[in-house]
Amino acid sequence: MIWCWFAAPKQTANFFVPHERFFVNKTELIDFISSSADISKAAASRALEATIDAVRTTLKKGDSVSLVGFGTFAVGKRAARIGRNPRTGTSIKIKAAKVPKFRPGKGLRDHLN
């Protein structure tokens, strides 16, 4: 689920009620993109998929994606560590991992506050 920070006051559906906290799924995000950009839902879906694929591919290479005013997607590294199985209490080794991170930009932070 994606938390929606943009709210279009002119929309009457419950989805776009301003100043309320709500979650948006991919279909609702595609609907919003198609209506605000005045394009078909199919085109909005392709645009969203292309954007997600571009971010995913760039992160897979180890690079970051910076969208000025919105934020930066980057890859973080989680070190290997020793964990504990909560059921048995035995120690287990947890492998190192790469994790996606998002750092919001000034424009997004200002919009929310």
Side-chain angles (χ1 to χ4, degrees):
M1 293 276 231
I2 301 170
W3 186 68
C4 184
W5 54 269
F6 50 87
K10 62 184 176 183
Q11 299 283 343
T12 57
N14 290 338
F15 171 67
F16 295 113
V17 177
H19 308 297
E20 287 188 20
R21 233 181 125 113
F22 51 91
F23 290 92
V24 178
N25 65 29
K26 191 173 181 180
T27 303
E28 293 168 334
L29 185 58
I30 289 169
D31 290 342
F32 181 80
I33 292 169
S34 69
S35 66
S36 64
D38 197 25
I39 58 175
S40 70
K41 287 184 182 179
S45 178
R46 287 191 305 270
L48 182 60
E49 285 298 325
T51 303
I52 292 170
D53 287 342
V55 171
R56 187 180 299 142
T57 302
T58 304
L59 293 178
K60 180 72 174 171
K61 293 180 193 175
D63 295 334
S64 63
V65 177
S66 181
L67 303 172
V68 177
F70 184 72
T72 302
F73 295 92
V75 178
K77 295 179 182 175
R78 187 178 298 154
R81 62 193 188 278
I82 301 293
R84 189 162 304 277
N85 182 333
R87 181 171 285 181
T88 63
T90 59
S91 294
I92 58 173
K93 292 181 182 178
I94 301 172
K95 295 192 292 187
K98 294 179 184 175
V99 293
K101 294 187 174 189
F102 178 73
R103 190 172 61 242
K106 184 177 181 346
L108 179 58
R109 285 191 312 266
D110 289 348
H111 185 79
L112 295 176
N113 293 316

